[in-house]
């Protein structure tokens, strides 16, 4: 598979990788098993569990559970970097997150723990915002925090099919492209090929449209449900399947220079069921590489 040169340029700007050419990070929830909000000490415990594998996490909202205010001091204490999330789908949610960030970052010691800020999580995929409307909010966030790296996260196909072209052309600094073979109903045997092909298509299109290598682009989410999760079409949940996908898909992506956020760090037992594109209820409580008690489910080191 051809590796787009935009990936190689991005590598120079990211934290050191763990035994791979690309960098591995984790998506991190903001609630405990009982649904209560995590506090600083909870995040510190999360970071202690993850630090042998990665020192980078991403979140989804800065105001919900007072995430920014709680996670940043923990990240400073434990030597982690955080991609903070902003939910722009409504003006109310956007303004709440913006205010939360302004409050948290008024403490200059917190700013050093921020790797980037993402405005939106699959807003284009859901159709909750147009690309132009999303770009406007990204630009507003960039003007609010001019020294920060500001970007967005969305499904890989929205970066491949032209939907996100206005954002790519608008000077956004960071793109996270989510890619799940599981949610495409792929068999385990075909999952890694499908995943890597999706990334290649998305990354290649971004590079072509941007006309330069100034945009940093990551795989924003990928993963596979473990024991207790639900099957989706031909994709079978299971811890051994998740471990296989990790080794054959994620580790391959890292070895080839892709930067990857694994979804997710820890199980979230309090998550409600989601509805898949097939209209069926799907369990999302068993996607963690670790249990809710922070016990690793499978080896996170990549085989040679």
């Amino acid at each position: 598979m051809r590796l787009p040169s935009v990936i190689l340029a991005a590598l120079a700007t990211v934290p050191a990788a763990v035994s791979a050419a690309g960098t591995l990070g984790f998506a991190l929830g903001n609630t405990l098993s009982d649904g209560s909000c995590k506090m600083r000490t909870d995040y510190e415990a999360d970071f202690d569990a993850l630090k042998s594998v990665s020192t980078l996490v991403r979140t989804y909202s800065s105001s919900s559970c007072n995430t920014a205010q709680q996670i940043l001091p923990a990240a400073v204490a434990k030597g982690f970097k955080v991609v903070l999330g902003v939910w722009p789908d409504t003006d109310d949610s956007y303004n709440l997150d913006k205010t939360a960030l302004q409050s948290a970052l008024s403490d200059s010691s917190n700013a050093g723990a921020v790797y980037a800020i993402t405005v939106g999580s699959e807003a284009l995929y859901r159709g909750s915002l147009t690309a132009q409307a999303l770009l406007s909010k990204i630009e507003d966030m960039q003007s609010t925090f001019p020294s920060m790296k500001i970007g967005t996260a969305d499904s890989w196909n929205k970066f491949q099919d032209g939907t996100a072209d206005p954002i790519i052309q608008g000077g956004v600094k960071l793109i996270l492209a989510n890619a799940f073979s599981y949610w495409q109903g792929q068999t385990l045997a075909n999952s890694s090929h499908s995943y890597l092909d999706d990334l290649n298509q998305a990354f290649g299109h971004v590079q072509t449209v941007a006309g330069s290598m100034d945009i940093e682009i990551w795989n924003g989410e990928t993963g596979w449900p473990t024991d207790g999760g639900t099957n989706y079409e031909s994709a079978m949940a299971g811890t051994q399947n998740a471990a296989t996908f990790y080794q054959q898909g994620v580790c391959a992506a890292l070895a080839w220079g892709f930067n990857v956020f694994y979804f997710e760090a820890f199980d979230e037992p309090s998550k409600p069921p989601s509805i898949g594109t097939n209209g069926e209820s799907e369990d999302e409580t068993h996607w963690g590489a670790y249990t809710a008690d922070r016990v690793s489910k499978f080896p996170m080191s990549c085989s040679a």
Side-chain angles (χ1 to χ4, degrees):
M1 185 185 81
R2 180 181 66 86
L3 182 65
S5 55
V6 67
I7 304 168
L8 303 178
L11 290 177
T13 66
V14 299
V18 179
S19 68
T23 296
L24 177 68
F26 285 94
L28 185 63
N30 61 5
T31 58
L32 298 169
S33 298
D34 61 2
S36 62
C37 293
K38 288 181 179 178
M39 306 301 287
R40 172 178 172 170
T41 54
D42 299 309
Y43 287 115
E44 289 181 352
D46 287 348
F47 295 153
D48 283 340
L50 296 173
K51 64 185 179 183
S52 66
V53 180
S54 175
T55 56
L56 178 67
V57 297
R58 62 168 297 205
T59 66
Y60 294 87
S61 170
S62 294
S63 59
S64 174
C65 280
N66 205 17
T67 297
Q69 200 72 251
Q70 296 297 328
I71 197 172
L72 290 177
V76 171
K78 297 296 182 176
F80 269 65
K81 295 286 187 180
V82 181
V83 177
L84 292 164
V86 172
W87 201 257
D89 297 41
T90 69
D91 288 342
D92 285 347
S93 64
Y94 177 77
N95 289 329
L96 282 171
D97 279 346
K98 181 179 177 180
T99 299
L101 286 172
Q102 289 172 317
S103 176
L105 295 176
S106 64
D107 183 343
S108 59
S109 64
N110 285 338
V114 179
Y115 183 73
I117 298 170
T118 52
V119 180
S121 178
E122 299 190 344
L124 300 181
Y125 177 77
R126 290 191 306 277
S128 52
L129 290 173
T130 66
Q132 288 290 357
L134 180 56
L135 177 61
S136 177
K137 291 188 174 181
I138 294 170
E139 290 173 337
D140 176 71
M141 192 62 62
Q142 188 69 76
S143 67
T144 304
F145 303 104
S147 64
M148 294 287 178
K149 187 183 303 181
I150 312 292
T152 192
D154 222 294
S155 178
W156 72 272
N157 58 314
K158 297 306 173 184
F159 294 115
Q160 180 271 337
D161 67 8
T163 302
D165 283 4
I167 294 171
I168 299 168
Q169 296 164 335
V172 170
K173 296 180 179 178
L174 176 69
I175 282 174
L176 305 185
N178 302 343
F180 286 92
S181 290
Y182 170 84
W183 286 120
Q184 294 185 37
Q186 297 286 344
T187 64
L188 184 63
N190 195 52
S191 60
S192 297
H193 171 79
S194 173
Y195 162 62
L196 295 168
D197 184 60
D198 291 347
L199 291 184
N200 195 38
Q201 290 185 59
F203 283 38
H205 183 81
V206 170
Q207 181 184 14
T208 299
V209 172
S212 72
M213 295 182 291
D214 294 336
I215 298 179
E216 183 180 333
I217 179 167
W218 286 60
N219 173 202
E221 290 179 351
T222 195
W224 199 276
T226 58
D227 291 349
T230 52
N231 302 329
Y232 187 76
E233 298 177 358
S234 297
M236 301 291 110
T239 301
Q240 185 54 56
N241 287 351
T244 298
F245 176 75
Y246 183 84
Q247 286 295 325
Q248 296 181 358
V250 175
C251 287
L254 291 168
W256 290 346
F258 291 100
N259 303 310
V260 179
F261 280 102
Y262 191 80
F263 183 89
E264 58 185 333
F266 307 102
D267 283 346
E268 296 187 80
S270 62
K271 262 191 175 182
S274 63
I275 303 300
T277 56
N278 60 2
E280 297 179 3
S281 178
E282 309 294 341
D283 178 272
E284 286 198 332
T285 65
H286 296 87
W287 281 76
Y290 296 74
T291 68
D293 296 326
R294 306 185 181 94
V295 177
S296 179
K297 298 180 186 180
F298 52 83
M300 301 299 295
S301 60
C302 291
S303 303

